[in-house]
Amino acid sequence: MLRERESWRHPAWRTAWRLLTPADRILIVIVFLGAAASLIWSGRGTEEGGWVHVEVAGEFHGEYPLTETRVVDLDGPAGRTVMEIHDRAVRITAAPCPNQCCRRRGAVNQAGQLIVCVPNRVLISVAGGAPAAVVDAVAR
Amino acid sequence: MNARPARDMARLGLLAGTAVILAVMENQVPRPLPWMRLGLGNLPVLVALLTFGFGPAFGVSVVKVLLGGFLGGGLGGPASIMGMVAGGASVTTMGAACRWSGGCFSAVGVSIIGAVTHQLAQLGVASAYMGHTAVLSLLPLAMLSGLLSGGIIGLLAEWSRRRLTGGEARPVHA
Protein backbone atom coordinates (compact mmCIF):
# COMPACT_ATOMS: atom_id res chain seq x y z
CA MET A 1 0.00 0.00 0.00
CA LEU A 2 2.71 2.41 1.01
CA ARG A 3 4.68 1.56 -2.11
CA GLU A 4 2.08 3.31 -4.21
CA ARG A 5 2.80 6.57 -2.44
CA GLU A 6 5.57 8.34 -4.23
CA SER A 7 6.93 10.20 -1.19
CA TRP A 8 7.70 6.98 0.66
CA ARG A 9 9.80 5.70 -2.20
CA HIS A 10 12.17 8.59 -1.87
CA PRO A 11 15.73 7.25 -1.47
CA ALA A 12 16.28 9.17 1.76
CA TRP A 13 13.38 7.37 3.43
CA ARG A 14 14.61 4.01 2.24
CA THR A 15 18.16 4.51 3.47
CA ALA A 16 16.82 5.80 6.77
CA TRP A 17 14.64 2.74 7.17
CA ARG A 18 17.45 0.33 6.26
CA LEU A 19 19.67 1.99 8.82
CA LEU A 20 17.48 0.74 11.66
CA THR A 21 18.58 -2.51 13.26
CA PRO A 22 16.06 -4.97 14.75
CA ALA A 23 17.03 -3.71 18.23
CA ASP A 24 16.27 -0.14 17.11
CA ARG A 25 12.80 -1.13 15.98
CA ILE A 26 12.10 -2.94 19.24
CA LEU A 27 13.36 0.12 21.14
CA ILE A 28 11.03 2.42 19.20
CA VAL A 29 8.06 0.18 19.97
CA ILE A 30 9.02 0.03 23.68
CA VAL A 31 9.32 3.82 23.98
CA PHE A 32 6.00 4.20 22.22
CA LEU A 33 4.34 1.74 24.59
CA GLY A 34 6.01 3.49 27.53
CA ALA A 35 4.54 6.80 26.42
CA ALA A 36 1.10 5.23 26.06
CA ALA A 37 1.38 3.58 29.49
CA SER A 38 2.49 6.82 31.15
CA LEU A 39 -0.39 8.62 29.45
CA ILE A 40 -2.85 6.20 31.03
CA TRP A 41 -1.02 6.33 34.36
CA SER A 42 -0.85 10.13 34.48
CA GLY A 43 -4.52 10.35 33.52
CA ARG A 44 -5.39 8.32 36.61
CA GLY A 45 -2.79 9.37 39.11
CA THR A 46 -2.70 13.15 38.92
CA GLU A 47 -4.48 15.36 41.37
CA GLU A 48 -7.57 17.37 40.59
CA GLY A 49 -6.81 20.90 39.56
CA GLY A 50 -7.97 23.71 41.80
CA TRP A 51 -7.07 26.86 39.89
CA VAL A 52 -6.83 28.09 36.35
CA HIS A 53 -3.88 30.31 35.56
CA VAL A 54 -4.24 32.42 32.42
CA GLU A 55 -1.58 34.26 30.43
CA VAL A 56 -2.21 36.30 27.30
CA ALA A 57 0.63 37.55 25.08
CA GLY A 58 3.19 36.56 27.69
CA GLU A 59 1.53 38.58 30.43
CA PHE A 60 -0.36 37.39 33.46
CA HIS A 61 -4.09 37.74 32.89
CA GLY A 62 -5.69 36.20 35.92
CA GLU A 63 -6.31 33.19 38.12
CA TYR A 64 -9.73 31.67 38.56
CA PRO A 65 -10.96 28.85 40.81
CA LEU A 66 -12.24 25.78 38.95
CA THR A 67 -15.21 25.57 41.29
CA GLU A 68 -16.97 28.69 40.02
CA THR A 69 -18.79 28.72 36.70
CA ARG A 70 -17.74 31.69 34.60
CA VAL A 71 -17.02 32.86 31.08
CA VAL A 72 -13.92 34.96 30.44
CA ASP A 73 -13.08 36.85 27.24
CA LEU A 74 -9.38 36.84 26.42
CA ASP A 75 -8.33 39.48 23.90
CA GLY A 76 -5.03 38.59 22.26
CA PRO A 77 -3.18 39.69 19.14
CA ALA A 78 -5.34 37.49 16.88
CA GLY A 79 -8.71 38.42 18.35
CA ARG A 80 -10.97 37.15 21.09
CA THR A 81 -10.67 33.73 22.70
CA VAL A 82 -13.50 32.76 25.01
CA MET A 83 -12.71 30.56 27.98
CA GLU A 84 -15.40 28.86 29.98
CA ILE A 85 -15.11 27.30 33.43
CA HIS A 86 -17.93 24.91 34.14
CA ASP A 87 -18.34 21.64 36.04
CA ARG A 88 -14.83 21.87 37.58
CA ALA A 89 -13.22 21.97 34.15
CA VAL A 90 -11.98 24.65 31.79
CA ARG A 91 -12.52 24.75 28.04
CA ILE A 92 -12.29 27.12 25.11
CA THR A 93 -15.64 27.85 23.51
CA ALA A 94 -14.59 30.29 20.79
CA ALA A 95 -11.27 31.03 19.14
CA PRO A 96 -10.27 33.41 16.35
CA CYS A 97 -7.75 31.07 14.67
CA PRO A 98 -8.50 28.92 11.60
CA ASN A 99 -7.32 25.59 12.99
CA GLN A 100 -9.30 25.70 16.28
CA CYS A 101 -6.65 23.63 18.04
CA CYS A 102 -7.49 24.95 21.48
CA ARG A 103 -11.20 24.23 21.12
CA ARG A 104 -10.48 20.69 20.05
CA ARG A 105 -8.37 20.23 23.19
CA GLY A 106 -11.70 19.91 24.99
CA ALA A 107 -12.32 20.31 28.70
CA VAL A 108 -9.34 20.07 31.03
CA ASN A 109 -9.35 19.68 34.81
CA GLN A 110 -6.16 17.92 36.02
CA ALA A 111 -3.32 19.81 37.69
CA GLY A 112 -0.53 20.44 35.21
CA GLN A 113 -2.66 20.24 32.10
CA LEU A 114 -2.48 23.02 29.57
CA ILE A 115 -4.55 24.64 26.88
CA VAL A 116 -2.43 26.64 24.48
CA CYS A 117 -3.49 28.86 21.61
CA VAL A 118 -0.35 29.84 19.77
CA PRO A 119 -1.78 32.37 17.25
CA ASN A 120 -3.60 34.30 19.96
CA ARG A 121 -0.78 33.73 22.48
CA VAL A 122 -3.13 32.37 25.14
CA LEU A 123 -1.73 29.99 27.74
CA ILE A 124 -4.13 28.40 30.19
CA SER A 125 -2.70 26.07 32.80
CA VAL A 126 -4.47 24.17 35.52
CA ALA A 127 -2.72 24.26 38.89
CA GLY A 128 -3.24 22.09 41.94
CA GLY A 129 -4.39 23.25 45.37
CA ALA A 130 -2.86 26.73 45.41
CA PRO A 131 -2.59 29.21 42.56
CA ALA A 132 0.91 28.80 41.12
CA ALA A 133 2.56 28.61 37.73
CA VAL A 134 3.34 24.95 37.20
CA VAL A 135 5.24 24.77 33.96
CA ASP A 136 7.64 27.73 34.13
CA ALA A 137 10.57 25.79 35.52
CA VAL A 138 10.89 23.15 32.79
CA ALA A 139 14.28 23.76 31.20
CA ARG A 140 14.41 25.27 27.78
CA MET B 1 43.60 8.10 29.15
CA ASN B 2 46.47 8.07 26.71
CA ALA B 3 47.58 11.17 24.90
CA ARG B 4 45.60 11.68 21.73
CA PRO B 5 47.07 12.81 18.45
CA ALA B 6 46.78 16.54 17.84
CA ARG B 7 44.55 15.79 14.87
CA ASP B 8 41.95 14.12 17.09
CA MET B 9 42.13 16.91 19.65
CA ALA B 10 41.52 19.46 16.90
CA ARG B 11 38.56 17.49 15.62
CA LEU B 12 37.10 17.18 19.11
CA GLY B 13 37.54 20.92 19.57
CA LEU B 14 35.64 21.54 16.35
CA LEU B 15 32.87 19.20 17.48
CA ALA B 16 32.65 20.92 20.87
CA GLY B 17 32.53 24.34 19.21
CA THR B 18 29.81 23.18 16.84
CA ALA B 19 27.86 21.78 19.77
CA VAL B 20 28.01 25.12 21.64
CA ILE B 21 26.97 27.08 18.55
CA LEU B 22 24.07 24.75 17.75
CA ALA B 23 22.87 24.72 21.36
CA VAL B 24 22.94 28.52 21.66
CA MET B 25 21.39 28.95 18.23
CA GLU B 26 18.58 26.57 19.06
CA ASN B 27 17.77 28.49 22.22
CA GLN B 28 17.10 31.60 20.13
CA VAL B 29 14.45 29.88 18.02
CA PRO B 30 10.99 30.47 19.44
CA ARG B 31 9.14 27.29 20.34
CA PRO B 32 5.44 26.74 20.81
CA LEU B 33 6.08 24.69 23.97
CA PRO B 34 9.20 25.01 26.13
CA TRP B 35 10.07 21.33 26.38
CA MET B 36 9.74 20.49 22.70
CA ARG B 37 12.93 20.91 20.78
CA LEU B 38 15.14 19.07 18.39
CA GLY B 39 18.26 18.98 20.56
CA LEU B 40 20.56 19.97 17.72
CA GLY B 41 23.34 20.52 20.26
CA ASN B 42 23.30 16.79 20.85
CA LEU B 43 24.32 16.08 17.26
CA PRO B 44 28.05 16.79 17.71
CA VAL B 45 28.01 14.90 21.03
CA LEU B 46 26.63 11.86 19.23
CA VAL B 47 29.11 12.20 16.38
CA ALA B 48 31.93 12.38 18.94
CA LEU B 49 30.57 9.26 20.63
CA LEU B 50 30.37 7.35 17.37
CA THR B 51 33.83 8.32 16.16
CA PHE B 52 35.88 8.76 19.36
CA GLY B 53 34.07 6.85 22.10
CA PHE B 54 32.56 7.72 25.46
CA GLY B 55 35.26 9.80 27.19
CA PRO B 56 35.67 12.41 24.45
CA ALA B 57 31.90 12.55 23.92
CA PHE B 58 31.44 13.28 27.63
CA GLY B 59 33.98 16.08 27.30
CA VAL B 60 32.15 17.58 24.34
CA SER B 61 28.91 17.38 26.32
CA VAL B 62 30.44 19.13 29.35
CA VAL B 63 31.82 21.92 27.16
CA LYS B 64 28.44 22.26 25.45
CA VAL B 65 26.46 22.53 28.69
CA LEU B 66 28.92 24.85 30.48
CA LEU B 67 29.67 27.21 27.59
CA GLY B 68 26.11 27.03 26.27
CA GLY B 69 24.77 27.96 29.70
CA PHE B 70 27.34 30.72 30.01
CA LEU B 71 26.54 32.24 26.62
CA GLY B 72 22.80 31.77 26.94
CA GLY B 73 22.79 33.31 30.41
CA GLY B 74 21.38 31.76 33.54
CA LEU B 75 24.33 29.50 34.39
CA GLY B 76 23.68 28.10 37.86
CA GLY B 77 19.94 28.69 37.66
CA PRO B 78 17.45 25.84 37.89
CA ALA B 79 17.14 25.53 34.11
CA SER B 80 20.89 25.12 33.61
CA ILE B 81 21.14 22.59 36.46
CA MET B 82 18.40 20.60 34.76
CA GLY B 83 20.32 20.84 31.52
CA MET B 84 23.53 19.64 33.19
CA VAL B 85 21.95 16.63 34.88
CA ALA B 86 20.00 15.72 31.77
CA GLY B 87 23.00 16.18 29.49
CA GLY B 88 25.24 14.04 31.70
CA ALA B 89 22.63 11.30 32.05
CA SER B 90 21.97 11.34 28.34
CA VAL B 91 25.61 10.99 27.25
CA THR B 92 26.24 8.33 29.91
CA THR B 93 23.36 6.11 28.80
CA MET B 94 24.32 6.60 25.16
CA GLY B 95 27.87 5.51 26.00
CA ALA B 96 26.56 2.49 27.90
CA ALA B 97 24.28 1.61 24.98
CA CYS B 98 27.26 1.72 22.63
CA ARG B 99 29.60 -0.28 24.84
CA TRP B 100 27.44 -3.02 26.30
CA SER B 101 24.85 -3.70 23.65
CA GLY B 102 27.36 -5.49 21.44
CA GLY B 103 26.57 -3.10 18.60
CA CYS B 104 22.95 -4.13 18.23
CA PHE B 105 21.77 -0.51 18.13
CA SER B 106 22.44 1.78 15.19
CA ALA B 107 23.18 5.46 15.70
CA VAL B 108 19.43 6.07 15.55
CA GLY B 109 18.76 3.67 18.43
CA VAL B 110 21.57 5.15 20.52
CA SER B 111 20.27 8.64 19.84
CA ILE B 112 16.71 7.73 20.83
CA ILE B 113 18.02 6.24 24.10
CA GLY B 114 19.92 9.45 24.77
CA ALA B 115 17.02 11.75 23.89
CA VAL B 116 14.47 9.86 25.98
CA THR B 117 16.92 9.74 28.92
CA HIS B 118 17.44 13.49 28.54
CA GLN B 119 13.71 14.12 28.73
CA LEU B 120 13.17 11.76 31.67
CA ALA B 121 16.09 13.24 33.64
CA GLN B 122 14.83 16.76 32.98
CA LEU B 123 11.34 15.95 34.19
CA GLY B 124 12.79 14.09 37.18
CA VAL B 125 14.89 17.09 38.23
CA ALA B 126 11.98 19.44 37.57
CA SER B 127 9.59 17.53 39.78
CA ALA B 128 12.24 17.12 42.51
CA TYR B 129 13.09 20.82 42.36
CA MET B 130 9.51 21.94 42.64
CA GLY B 131 8.47 19.22 45.05
CA HIS B 132 5.46 18.74 42.85
CA THR B 133 4.61 15.80 40.64
CA ALA B 134 2.30 17.75 38.34
CA VAL B 135 5.21 18.07 35.92
CA LEU B 136 5.15 14.31 35.43
CA SER B 137 1.92 14.67 33.49
CA LEU B 138 4.17 15.90 30.70
CA LEU B 139 5.83 12.46 30.62
CA PRO B 140 3.98 10.98 27.61
CA LEU B 141 4.56 14.08 25.54
CA ALA B 142 8.19 14.23 26.62
CA MET B 143 8.79 10.60 25.68
CA LEU B 144 7.18 10.99 22.27
CA SER B 145 9.10 14.17 21.51
CA GLY B 146 12.30 12.40 22.65
CA LEU B 147 11.52 9.54 20.28
CA LEU B 148 10.98 11.90 17.38
CA SER B 149 13.89 14.25 17.99
CA GLY B 150 16.19 11.36 18.92
CA GLY B 151 15.36 9.59 15.68
CA ILE B 152 16.00 12.69 13.57
CA ILE B 153 19.26 13.52 15.38
CA GLY B 154 20.37 9.88 15.07
CA LEU B 155 19.87 9.92 11.30
CA LEU B 156 21.72 13.22 10.98
CA ALA B 157 24.56 11.91 13.16
CA GLU B 158 24.92 8.73 11.13
CA TRP B 159 25.01 10.71 7.89
CA SER B 160 27.50 13.21 9.31
CA ARG B 161 29.69 10.38 10.57
CA ARG B 162 29.73 8.78 7.13
CA ARG B 163 30.70 12.07 5.57
CA LEU B 164 33.37 12.77 8.16
CA THR B 165 34.98 9.31 8.13
CA GLY B 166 34.88 8.86 4.38
CA GLY B 167 31.84 6.62 4.28
CA GLU B 168 33.32 3.48 5.74
CA ALA B 169 30.81 1.21 7.44
CA ARG B 170 31.83 0.58 11.02
CA PRO B 171 30.05 -1.00 13.98
CA VAL B 172 28.77 1.53 16.49
CA HIS B 173 30.48 0.23 19.59
CA ALA B 174 33.82 1.89 20.08
Side-chain angles (χ1 to χ4, degrees), chain B residues 139-164:
Chain B
L139 199 62
L141 198 61
M143 283 176 84
L144 285 183
S145 82
L147 188 64
L148 192 68
S149 64
I152 293 169
I153 293 298
L155 281 178
L156 293 176
E158 177 61 25
W159 288 333
S160 330
R161 183 181 71 82
R162 287 185 181 177
R163 279 289 167 89
L164 292 173

Side-chain angles (χ1 to χ4, degrees), chain A residues 72-83 92-97 120 122:
Chain A
V72 182
D73 292 338
L74 306 169
D75 291 310
R80 175 167 289 183
T81 301
V82 181
M83 176 187 87
I92 298 293
T93 50
C97 45
N120 211 15
V122 170

Side-chain angles (χ1 to χ4, degrees), chain A residues 23-85:
Chain A
D24 286 345
R25 291 172 196 183
I26 294 171
L27 175 75
I28 290 171
V29 172
I30 288 176
V31 172
F32 206 79
L33 290 179
S38 62
L39 185 67
I40 294 166
W41 171 80
S42 69
R44 271 190 336 186
T46 51
E47 67 177 301
E48 281 278 287
W51 290 80
V52 179
H53 177 97
V54 183
E55 281 176 41
V56 180
E59 283 175 12
F60 176 75
H61 182 276
E63 267 169 345
Y64 308 99
L66 266 179
T67 44
E68 292 168 20
T69 297
R70 77 173 75 215
V71 175
V72 182
D73 292 338
L74 306 169
D75 291 310
R80 175 167 289 183
T81 301
V82 181
M83 176 187 87
E84 184 188 275
I85 301 177

Side-chain angles (χ1 to χ4, degrees), chain B residues 6 10 18 32 39 43 91 104 113 156:
Chain B
T18 314
L43 183 56
V91 72
C104 72
I113 290 174
L156 293 176

Side-chain angles (χ1 to χ4, degrees), chain A residues 81-82 90-95 97-108 114-117:
Chain A
T81 301
V82 181
V90 58
R91 73 169 81 228
I92 298 293
T93 50
C97 45
N99 59 12
Q100 301 287 307
C101 253
C102 48
R103 271 184 60 205
R104 275 188 265 127
R105 179 90 165 85
V108 150
L114 301 170
I115 300 178
V116 184
C117 172

Side-chain angles (χ1 to χ4, degrees), chain A residues 2-33:
Chain A
L2 287 178
R3 286 203 186 105
E4 287 160 14
R5 307 224 347 222
E6 212 52 41
S7 57
W8 288 98
R9 296 177 65 181
H10 192 274
W13 280 114
R14 274 187 300 190
T15 49
W17 182 246
R18 273 196 217 120
L19 210 65
L20 296 181
T21 63
D24 286 345
R25 291 172 196 183
I26 294 171
L27 175 75
I28 290 171
V29 172
I30 288 176
V31 172
F32 206 79
L33 290 179

Side-chain angles (χ1 to χ4, degrees), chain B:
Chain B
M1 194 168 286
N2 301 329
R4 291 179 174 278
R7 191 195 60 189
D8 285 5
M9 289 308 291
R11 286 177 175 172
L12 279 170
L14 284 175
L15 282 173
T18 314
V20 172
I21 291 166
L22 286 175
V24 171
M25 221 173 66
E26 198 179 27
N27 270 341
Q28 306 302 317
V29 179
R31 283 178 295 275
L33 300 168
W35 59 90
M36 286 180 112
R37 55 166 210 167
L38 202 47
L40 274 176
N42 218 19
L43 183 56
V45 177
L46 193 55
V47 173
L49 182 68
L50 296 174
T51 47
F52 294 103
F54 173 66
F58 197 84
V60 171
S61 179
V62 168
V63 171
K64 181 196 90 174
V65 172
L66 285 183
L67 269 187
F70 185 67
L71 291 175
L75 189 67
S80 79
I81 289 171
M82 255 184 256
M84 275 176 213
V85 173
S90 159
V91 72
T92 306
T93 49
M94 287 199 294
C98 279
R99 184 159 302 181
W100 290 308
S101 71
C104 72
F105 291 114
S106 73
V108 178
V110 172
S111 171
I112 290 175
I113 290 174
V116 171
T117 308
H118 191 277
Q119 298 278 36
L120 294 184
Q122 211 172 57
L123 285 185
V125 176
S127 62
Y129 180 75
M130 297 195 297
H132 205 301
T133 53
V135 185
L136 293 181
S137 67
L138 301 177
L139 199 62
L141 198 61
M143 283 176 84
L144 285 183
S145 82
L147 188 64
L148 192 68
S149 64
I152 293 169
I153 293 298
L155 281 178
L156 293 176
E158 177 61 25
W159 288 333
S160 330
R161 183 181 71 82
R162 287 185 181 177
R163 279 289 167 89
L164 292 173
T165 58
E168 97 235 40
R170 211 169 59 94
V172 169
H173 56 105

